[in-house]
Amino acid sequence: MLAIIPFVVCLTGVFFHREVPPAKSTTAAEDSEEAKYFGICNAIAVVVVFYLLAYGFVPHVNVMS
């Protein structure tokens, strides 16, 4: 799990944060929308980072033993 989740997050970032040629003219609404979605992707990445950090520090009890 600690190897798969960061890979999926980075792969998602590659698809959504790819470089595109700038438009000839952008409006304030388009810039605001772009900033909103970029912020959402960053927030999801931060949540995943803290989850994985906590997961690494919590001891795992083996129920079978």
Side-chain angles (χ1 to χ4, degrees):
M1 184 160 110
L2 291 175
I4 294 173
I5 291 177
F7 173 73
V8 171
V9 170
C10 289
L11 191 63
T12 304
V14 166
F15 287 120
F16 287 113
H17 293 142
R18 64 179 180 261
E19 186 175 356
V20 295
K24 300 218 185 266
S25 64
T26 58
T27 63
E30 290 172 341
D31 288 340
S32 174
E33 182 181 8
E34 181 180 337
K36 179 178 78 170
Y37 287 119
F38 189 74
I40 289 171
C41 288
N42 281 338
I44 291 171
V46 169
V47 167
V48 169
V49 163
F50 281 115
Y51 171 75
L52 292 175
L53 183 65
Y55 185 82
F57 283 114
V58 173
H60 302 290
V61 179
N62 191 353
V63 179
M64 299 299 283
S65 60

